[in-house]
Amino acid sequence: MATGFVFLWFSFFILLSSTVSIAKITPRFPSSIVRPEQLSAALSTKNQLYETKYFTQILDHFNFNPKSYQTFQQRYLIKDTFWGGAHNNAPIFVYTGNEGDIEWFTQNTGFMFEKAPHFKALLVFIEHRFYGKSIPFGGHKDVAYSNKSTLGYLSSTQALADYATVITDLKKNLSATDCPVVVFGGSYGGMLAAWFRLKYPHITIGALASSSPILNFESITSPYSFNDIVTKDFRSESENCYKVLKGSWDQIENKANQLGGLEALRKSFKICKNYISASSLEGWLTTAYYYTAMTDYPTLSNFLNPLPAYPVKQMCKAIDNPTAGNDTFAKLYGAANIYYNHSGTATCFDLADDSDPHGLGGWQWQACTEMVMPTGGNNKESIFPESLWNYDNRVTICKSMYDIVPRPNWITTEFGGHDIKRVLKRFGSNIIFFNGLRDPWSGGGVLKNISESIVAIVAKEGAHHVDLRFSTKEDPEWLKDVRKQEVNIIAKWIAQYYHDLAHLSS
């Protein structure tokens, strides 16, 4: 079974986060990846899920030299089935696209589809530049990704300006100038949604920013936070599970250093015969722990991989299974199988697979420029070996890859983050920050209300943007309550907008 680009991206960036050899991986935000045949039954209607359109977008919004006026085709998806129409000033719900193909995010953001009929909303999902089919330089990815001069146009600020331009043009073409816009996003898309509300308050009346770690920069959030939460997730299920994971790294290293050790590890973990090393195996396991913690949903899911409900619990059950006896590698294999092979179809796992079927590669550039989010620290209690976050390692790798030096202070300079409660209380409004505390990214999220209209909804049992997923009959009451809160708040924003609009018209 091919583990794909996501794993190898992790492995490549081992050196970015740690001073030790064992995989301390800088986590990439997971993309909502789902195959068309696995779409929610809620979307299995006679109507097309969405219509695909393209907007002629300018290359550079912030300069006026001739090259800036080059254009590219930016994809967006639209669904007007539920829309009340421009004549009724019905709302427009816009998803601010993440670091990947916009169709995957659209197909996983069930919350917007399910609530659109209630609000009579038009749905729009805009793809992030340099991802999916929204590739500058003639749509040729090999050209767009070829060097720092072309990749230099890939940034959060350019993406936000793209969204502002698309929304403004779309409203004009639909004669919907007075229709209120609410933006939605999860993970990096959630960060963009929050920043969009702050930067373009004249375009959107509010933002739902789910699992958006806007505080995971500089020293605002501890570099130990991410792995502390991963550790807590597994330890909360079983102390034995925690101890097995914590003690496993030395055993892998010791076995790998023995004569025939790598071959023994290959057999224990059913690794394909083309490639194995201790570090690649450790990265493969770490990736599984990271993503399982992030997607520890209370129901079946198909995120990056198909997973059972409560997958962290299932991993720990595999580790605690008495049939494995004292064989640590059998325990770890059972756990990894939950993430990599829940379908039961894999015959071996390819650690050398470098395919990128979902077009996620642009995040490497973003992590080397502005998205410098310290996550690689591990304290003595961590399930991963003790280590420090090492910014110098990132600089070294980014110089090697792109001949550039990251700008770790740029995000907080451009969008803020320090003393956020005092700052946003002065000028911000109408943002919902949702965070589930089982999500490792929640440590960098807004976890307390900032004002009456900048609200933090925190779910103790929640995982990575679980609120945006399609609802199921098995959803727990706390998740239903989260969504009700979000709907009620958005309804208040829209009602206030209509009230203000009527007052201005009278």
Side-chain angles (χ1 to χ4, degrees), residues 12 24 66 100 209 313 353 390 426 434 484:
F12 187 83
K24 305 297 178 298
K313 182 185 293 293
D353 176 29
N390 192 320
R426 291 205 307 264
F434 168 79
K484 287 178 183 177

Side-chain angles (χ1 to χ4, degrees), residues 118-119 485-497:
H118 172 77
F119 288 102
Q485 291 182 62
E486 292 173 343
V487 167
N488 290 338
I489 293 170
I490 293 169
K492 288 180 181 178
W493 295 345
I494 295 173
Q496 184 63 51
Y497 173 84

Side-chain angles (χ1 to χ4, degrees), residues 409-428:
N409 303 322
W410 174 244
I411 290 295
T412 55
T413 301
E414 175 69 8
F415 302 114
H418 293 284
D419 199 7
I420 193 169
K421 184 172 185 178
R422 178 178 61 84
V423 173
L424 290 192
K425 202 170 186 177
R426 291 205 307 264
F427 79 95

Side-chain angles (χ1 to χ4, degrees), residues 14 32-33 78 121 139 162 167 175 189 213 247 275 356 392 416 432 451 504:
I14 287 170
S32 303
I33 296 171
I78 188 167
D162 287 343
I167 293 169
S175 300
Y275 175 75
D356 182 15
D392 290 339
I432 301 169
S451 67
L504 290 172

Side-chain angles (χ1 to χ4, degrees), residues 1 3 234 245 268-271 281-289 292 305-308 311-312 314-319 328-344 346 349 351:
M1 178 183 179
T3 54
F234 283 93
L245 293 174
S268 293
F269 291 96
K270 295 187 178 179
I271 305 302
L281 177 61
E282 290 157 355
W284 181 75
L285 290 169
T286 305
T287 299
Y289 306 152
T292 301
N305 286 332
L307 287 176
V312 171
Q314 297 305 316
M315 271 195 172
C316 283
K317 281 186 177 179
I319 288 174
T328 296
F329 299 152
K331 295 175 184 290
L332 298 181
Y333 171 74
N337 230 29
I338 299 296
Y339 179 75
Y340 289 113
N341 191 28
H342 180 59
S343 63
F349 302 102
L351 303 188

Side-chain angles (χ1 to χ4, degrees), residues 287-431:
T287 299
Y289 306 152
Y290 276 171
Y291 273 144
T292 301
M294 279 190 271
T295 58
D296 193 31
Y297 298 136
T299 57
L300 289 169
S301 64
N302 186 22
F303 208 47
L304 284 175
N305 286 332
L307 287 176
Y310 301 106
V312 171
K313 182 185 293 293
Q314 297 305 316
M315 271 195 172
C316 283
K317 281 186 177 179
I319 288 174
D320 293 341
N321 190 331
T323 61
N326 295 321
D327 187 344
T328 296
F329 299 152
K331 295 175 184 290
L332 298 181
Y333 171 74
N337 230 29
I338 299 296
Y339 179 75
Y340 289 113
N341 191 28
H342 180 59
S343 63
T345 59
T347 56
C348 72
F349 302 102
D350 185 0
L351 303 188
D353 176 29
D354 62 354
S355 61
D356 182 15
H358 313 303
L360 313 176
W363 190 255
Q364 294 182 10
W365 168 265
Q366 292 190 259
C368 272
T369 51
E370 59 181 1
M371 302 303 292
V372 183
M373 307 174 74
T375 57
N378 289 287
N379 59 31
K380 292 181 179 180
E381 296 298 310
S382 176
I383 59 172
F384 308 107
E386 191 172 359
S387 65
L388 300 174
W389 155 256
N390 192 320
Y391 171 70
D392 290 339
N393 283 348
R394 177 165 297 202
V395 172
T396 299
I397 294 297
C398 293
K399 281 185 176 180
S400 174
M401 290 178 65
Y402 302 111
D403 191 28
I404 57 168
V405 176
R407 296 171 63 184
N409 303 322
W410 174 244
I411 290 295
T412 55
T413 301
E414 175 69 8
F415 302 114
H418 293 284
D419 199 7
I420 193 169
K421 184 172 185 178
R422 178 178 61 84
V423 173
L424 290 192
K425 202 170 186 177
R426 291 205 307 264
F427 79 95
S429 65
N430 290 9
I431 303 175

